[in-house]
């Protein structure tokens, strides 16, 4: 698929997911197979829900849950939050998104220690992750002279 025309070839659900991924999981935003698969599944969920008697609103809610399930917790946004809250002097807020993309692969070892799921940000373990990420960013900045 031509990357330039990629977004024009997606369905409604595909375009929605592409936008969602660009904002929350930019590392997945170029995975057209993932986007197409999720979009097709969401469309099927909508259709089956309507055939089963769900209202259009109810079917849409189920389709959106299928589309974004497992994607509500964002490593990328968590890193940005840490940068904004703890490192605004070292990393200007306007540069945090770009820096978060650079940092994310460096922080995967920290993320791997936690059961990241849709509701993870609302658990007590999130505070531990946040603290660990803060320490890892300090270590990274010191090692790279930032």
């Amino acid at each position: 698929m031509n990357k330039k025309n990629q977004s024009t070839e997606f369905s409604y659900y595909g375009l929605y997911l592409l936008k969602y991924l660009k904002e929350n999981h930019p590392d997945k935003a170029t995975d057209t197979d993932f986007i197409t698969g999720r979009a097709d599944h969401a469309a099927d969920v909508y259709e089956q829900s309507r055939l089963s008697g769900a209202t259009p609103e109810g079917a849409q809610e189920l389709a959106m849950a299928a589309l974004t399930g497992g994607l509500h917790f964002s490593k990328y946004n968590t890193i940005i939050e840490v940068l904004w809250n703890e490192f605004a002097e070292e990393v200007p807020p306007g540069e945090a998104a770009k820096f978060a993309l650079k940092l994310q692969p460096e922080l995967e070892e920290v993320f791997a220690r936690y059961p990241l799921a849709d509701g993870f940000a609302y658990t007590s373990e999130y505070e531990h992750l946040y603290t660990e990420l803060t320490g890892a960013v300090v270590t990274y900045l010191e090692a790279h002279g930032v």
Side-chain angles (χ1 to χ4, degrees):
M1 181 181 291
N2 183 337
K3 283 189 178 231
K4 186 175 180 182
N5 296 326
Q6 164 185 334
S7 64
T8 60
E9 296 178 19
F10 286 137
S11 66
Y12 163 79
Y13 290 117
L15 291 172
Y16 182 94
L17 183 58
L18 177 62
K19 181 180 184 294
Y20 185 85
L21 292 175
K22 284 180 178 180
E23 294 171 357
N24 300 289
H25 301 277
D27 56 313
K28 291 177 172 51
T30 57
D31 189 343
T32 55
D33 291 338
F34 176 77
I35 295 168
T36 302
R38 282 278 181 125
D40 290 348
H41 177 63
D44 289 342
V45 167
Y46 180 87
E47 181 180 359
Q48 292 305 312
S49 298
R50 288 293 288 139
L51 290 171
S52 297
T55 64
E57 296 81 11
Q60 179 69 358
E61 187 175 324
L62 292 171
M64 295 306 278
L67 186 68
T68 60
L71 296 172
H72 296 290
F73 181 82
S74 169
K75 295 174 186 178
Y76 171 73
N77 287 337
T78 302
I79 296 167
I80 290 172
E81 180 182 357
V82 169
L83 294 174
W84 283 349
N85 293 340
E86 310 299 332
F87 300 97
E89 290 183 23
E90 294 84 353
V91 181
E95 296 176 27
K98 182 179 175 183
F99 196 62
L101 280 175
K102 182 178 178 179
L103 270 178
Q104 188 170 336
E106 304 291 329
L107 300 175
E108 286 299 327
E109 187 176 306
V110 174
F111 284 113
R113 292 192 276 270
Y114 294 89
L116 305 178
D118 283 346
F120 181 74
Y122 307 105
T123 68
S124 60
E125 284 186 277
Y126 178 79
E127 292 179 35
H128 298 290
L129 170 65
Y130 186 96
T131 301
E132 238 185 291
L133 288 172
T134 301
V137 172
V138 166
T139 302
Y140 179 89
L141 293 174
E142 287 175 353
H144 292 86
V146 177

